[in-house]
Amino acid sequence: MKLQRFAVPSLLAVMSLLGCKLAEKSASPAATPIQPAVQYFKVDEAHVGTIKGTIRFAGKKPVAKLIDMSEDPACVEAHKGKAYDESLVVSRDGSVANAFVYIEKGFEGKTFEAPTTPVMIDQRGCWFRPRVMGIQTGQPLQVVNSDPVTHNIHPMGTVNREWNHSQGPGDEPILRKFPKTEVMIPVKCNIHSWMHTFIGAVDNPYFAVSGDDGSFTLPKLPPGTYTLAVWQEKLGTLKQQIEVTEGHDSVASITYKGQ
Amino acid sequence: MNRLLTVLRCTVAATLLVTISGCKTAVSAKPIGPTFAIQPPLGLPPLSIPPENPPTVASIALGRALFYDVRLSNDNSISCATCHNPVLNFTDGNKVSHGFGGHVGVRNAPPIVNAAYLRLQFWDGRAASLEEQAAFPISNPVEMNQSHDISVAKLAKDPEYAALFNKTFGPGGVTLQRIENALASFERTVLSGDSAFDRYLFRGERDALTPSQIRGFRIFIDTKRGNCSTCHTVNDTYALLTDGKAHNIGVGAGDAGAFSDMGRYPQTKADADRGAFMTPSLRDVARTAPYMHDGSLKTLKDVVDFYAGGGNSNPYLDKEIRTIVLSAQDRQDLVAFLESLNGTPPANVGPPKTVR
């Protein structure tokens, strides 16, 4: 009898405890506010213009410095031929390659959906390829190691999180994202001191890297006034206002003054 | 009513007794007869042996037989030696282990060599002794996948085994605790020392190491260079080459502190143990590729490069892990030094002549 008297209240107590938990659980979803769905800005491609331009350097053409990879003989072999410093690549006529061009201002209040197609960095011949690249914030970055040696890629973000990751020969690609705008994120290899690349993370899809002829194109821009910014590793940043009108090419000629 | 209560009380007490005796069997699992003194080879300290399981010639021999016996697995296809193969320095040479029914595990089989010196067993340190460790893989569904009751029953059915257990531990036949104790005693004899490194450091044979290996050793112990011996310890009179602790070096780290394997964390719930794994000894390391808890690094060169690069960043990375500037020569020297840790293989640890 005693046992029964003891058992009944304790069972009740257990039930009421469970009841409390259940009540809490069912109440919790209502307590969290529902996030409003992000309204992505859609470009009306029937009414767009283009920015075309070239980047030049008026100073003395730098002499390309030879890179010494003898620290790692496997790299010397993997690189196949001489490697030259690419921090400032200027053609005979003064065209600047590897300059990063992007729309810095003009899209205030607009949110662009991030592409799902990754931007690639290949570590090949103990060299980052490409030297300069753009990525949209939230777009995946895919890092590949095509070398017979281990690399340790190290993007040194200050706005985005800094990280480094080891990648041995034949290892799976590394996938990462940069959630915030940051121009530029310097990237090094922790193992091979000569390896450098730069990533420009921008919250709109209008960015480009100049080719060997110094040219770049930013197509399918909505008409409007923008701030076009150009970054070059050695020469720094230049900005200019530019007007885009429907159906036209707006031309930007950008020249870095030299000494 | 009072009588009913008494009956109930008795039943409860009896049930408790049964439960307790079920955990700790009344049958003694302490080996009988004279204790066998295991002599560690050069470079290893004296063994610490639990007083309740002193090794005897019989318990070591029984443990050896059990270690190679496939009857401890569900379909009589897997023994301890399947993943801890003496030919492969008591590893399986695979990235991660393959167990019952083709199941693939998540971790690289660690060598049992010198496991006798580890305070905590397994990559995550979840067993506190060799005795405790022995039972896990037998019942693990992706390893040997056999309940302990069935293992005991299968062995007990073999009259020779039953006799061996009685001879080793006294009357009582086969029990789980006896299986664990015998396996642990056998494993305490699987010791590797007397390597070129040991002869150089502990016997003063200056030419036991090559100049490259000596340079590699200097980098290994220099906290400003390799900083290896901070965790892979070298003492004045012996070298276990492990500190017996868990560290996060970044292996298996994903984006923003995510891990493919949380390592020691589930055991301790300490943040520092997220993605942390027990430091493996480096003895015989050149014979135990691939490396790391997930077998993700194929060669010793890959391992040296991994550390040189500062591992993989994550919020729980051990503070001792940082980028190390090492020339190609330095790296070669380190690998050469690691090769000097190959010990003299222990005797009498292969499959017994008559597996019984």
Side-chain angles (χ1 to χ4, degrees):
Chain A
M1 210 60 207
K2 254 185 194 167
L3 196 71
Q4 263 181 10
R5 247 188 279 153
F6 171 73
V8 172
S10 65
L11 192 66
L12 276 175
V14 168
M15 280 173 74
S16 59
L17 273 174
L18 280 173
C20 279
K21 261 198 182 152
L22 281 172
E24 263 171 50
K25 250 190 185 168
S26 59
S28 61
T32 38
I34 295 154
Q35 291 284 327
V38 179
Q39 290 290 316
Y40 291 118
F41 175 66
K42 290 265 185 286
V43 177
D44 177 5
E45 294 197 7
H47 305 283
V48 288
T50 297
I51 298 175
K52 281 191 170 176
T54 47
I55 298 158
R56 293 184 184 281
F57 176 56
K60 201 174 154 232
K61 188 179 175 308
V63 180
K65 271 192 296 185
L66 198 62
I67 299 286
D68 179 14
M69 293 190 188
S70 58
E71 270 301 281
D72 197 333
C75 285
V76 176
E77 197 177 317
H79 195 81
K80 297 185 178 76
K82 287 176 178 171
Y84 292 94
D85 175 39
E86 289 177 335
S87 55
L88 177 58
V89 178
V90 181
S91 71
R92 201 164 293 175
D93 66 352
S95 307
V96 178
N98 290 341
F100 184 67
V101 187
Y102 68 107
I103 300 292
E104 191 201 39
K105 282 184 190 143
F107 290 118
E108 285 69 26
K110 296 185 174 76
T111 306
F112 290 88
E113 192 170 7
T116 51
T117 327
V119 170
M120 304 272 287
I121 296 184
D122 190 7
Q123 299 163 108
R124 185 158 39 88
C126 293
W127 208 249
F128 285 122
R129 296 161 201 266
R131 171 76 175 197
V132 175
M133 75 204 77
I135 192 166
Q136 202 173 317
T137 50
Q139 182 178 11
L141 171 76
Q142 183 171 348
V143 184
V144 173
N145 182 6
S146 306
D147 276 333
V149 300
T150 300
H151 291 296
N152 195 306
I153 189 168
H154 185 171
M156 295 170 283
T158 51
V159 180
N160 288 284
R161 190 166 46 81
E162 183 176 359
W163 55 269
N164 69 282
H165 206 91
S166 181
Q167 198 173 28
D171 278 1
E172 298 268 296
I174 300 166
L175 281 169
R176 290 287 191 277
K177 287 174 182 173
F178 298 97
K180 295 169 191 156
T181 295
E182 187 170 4
V183 180
M184 302 290 281
I185 301 165
V187 181
K188 66 176 181 179
C189 171
N190 277 357
I191 299 177
H192 305 102
S193 58
W194 61 83
M195 288 174 69
H196 298 283
T197 183
F198 293 85
I199 301 171
V202 181
D203 63 2
N204 70 65
Y206 300 101
F207 52 82
V209 176
S210 64
D212 289 343
D213 61 356
S215 73
F216 69 92
T217 306
L218 299 177
K220 295 179 186 174
L221 273 151
T225 306
Y226 299 101
T227 301
L228 183 75
V230 182
W231 170 95
Q232 203 286 332
E233 196 178 329
K234 287 278 181 208
L235 305 175
T237 303
L238 293 178
K239 293 176 187 180
Q240 69 175 62
Q241 289 267 318
I242 193 158
E243 194 76 25
V244 172
T245 50
E246 185 182 332
H248 288 94
D249 287 354
S250 305
V251 177
S253 291
I254 295 146
T255 303
Y256 283 100
K257 291 186 178 73
Q259 275 132 25
Chain B
M1 209 40 75
N2 262 347
R3 229 177 59 197
L4 177 68
L5 199 62
T6 316
V7 170
L8 269 169
R9 270 187 187 146
C10 285
T11 319
V12 169
T15 316
L16 270 172
L17 264 178
V18 168
T19 321
I20 287 166
S21 63
C23 296
K24 269 258 181 324
T25 163
V27 175
S28 167
K30 189 173 178 175
I32 53 174
T35 301
F36 176 79
I38 299 166
Q39 296 297 334
L42 179 71
L44 294 180
L47 276 171
S48 145
I49 287 167
E52 62 279 8
N53 187 27
T56 64
V57 170
S59 75
I60 293 166
L62 177 59
R64 185 176 171 189
L66 292 168
F67 189 83
Y68 290 94
D69 199 323
V70 292
R71 281 176 290 181
L72 289 175
S73 67
N74 181 300
D75 61 354
N76 301 328
S77 70
I78 301 166
S79 71
C80 304
T82 304
C83 296
H84 305 286
N85 185 343
V87 176
L88 298 166
N89 211 75
F90 292 93
T91 66
D92 59 12
N94 292 320
K95 196 170 182 285
V96 291
S97 293
H98 300 238
F100 177 78
H103 285 290
V104 178
V106 292
R107 292 179 186 158
N108 179 259
I112 64 156
V113 180
N114 296 354
Y117 291 101
L118 301 177
R119 196 173 51 83
L120 299 171
Q121 303 292 333
F122 292 116
W123 276 110
D124 57 11
R126 68 186 183 276
S129 66
L130 282 177
E131 282 80 0
E132 196 184 317
Q133 183 277 334
F136 281 81
I138 298 172
S139 59
N140 187 331
V142 300
E143 295 187 51
M144 296 156 93
N145 189 33
Q146 180 159 278
S147 78
H148 297 315
D149 290 346
I150 293 176
S151 293
V152 169
K154 273 164 86 173
L155 298 182
K157 251 198 303 194
D158 180 335
E160 274 185 66
Y161 253 134
L164 271 177
F165 274 84
N166 288 339
K167 188 185 124 194
T168 306
F169 298 101
V174 183
T175 69
L176 176 63
Q177 183 72 58
R178 286 178 167 193
I179 295 173
E180 291 171 356
N181 283 5
L183 279 168
S185 291
F186 166 65
E187 288 179 273
R188 290 200 171 92
T189 69
V190 186
L191 302 179
S192 172
D194 197 21
S195 64
F197 161 72
D198 294 306
R199 292 191 289 276
Y200 171 83
L201 194 64
F202 301 121
R203 201 183 279 152
E205 291 179 17
R206 297 288 115 181
D207 56 355
L209 296 187
T210 66
S212 168
Q213 288 172 330
I214 293 170
R215 287 195 303 269
F217 178 48
R218 289 197 184 123
I219 298 167
F220 187 87
I221 55 172
D222 188 340
T223 52
K224 292 196 172 61
R225 301 186 75 199
N227 196 26
C228 314
S229 63
T230 298
C231 295
H232 298 285
T233 51
V234 177
N235 289 52
D236 290 344
T237 53
Y238 62 89
L240 290 180
L241 294 152
T242 169
D243 62 356
K245 293 178 185 158
H247 300 276
N248 176 319
I249 61 167
V251 173
D255 206 355
F259 289 93
S260 52
D261 185 337
M262 288 298 271
R264 181 130 178 85
Y265 176 73
Q267 311 302 316
T268 64
K269 297 285 189 287
D271 271 345
D273 283 333
R274 286 180 192 268
F277 293 84
M278 304 302 291
T279 308
S281 172
L282 298 183
R283 288 194 172 272
D284 298 319
V285 72
R287 298 170 176 153
T288 64
Y291 304 104
M292 303 300 171
H293 72 267
D294 57 359
S296 57
L297 302 182
K298 295 174 202 83
T299 64
L300 286 177
K301 183 181 186 293
D302 292 348
V303 174
V304 170
D305 287 344
F306 176 84
Y307 283 112
N312 295 330
S313 62
N314 71 81
Y316 313 102
L317 188 70
D318 196 281
K319 64 176 173 30
E320 296 294 342
I321 301 296
R322 51 184 178 255
T323 310
I324 314 164
V325 179
L326 294 172
S327 69
Q329 185 63 53
D330 292 340
R331 287 173 212 186
Q332 269 180 35
D333 292 344
L334 267 175
V335 171
F337 167 68
L338 292 172
E339 286 164 352
S340 81
L341 300 173
N342 279 351
T344 307
N348 304 317
V349 295
K353 294 264 159 16
T354 51
V355 181
R356 262 280 150 240

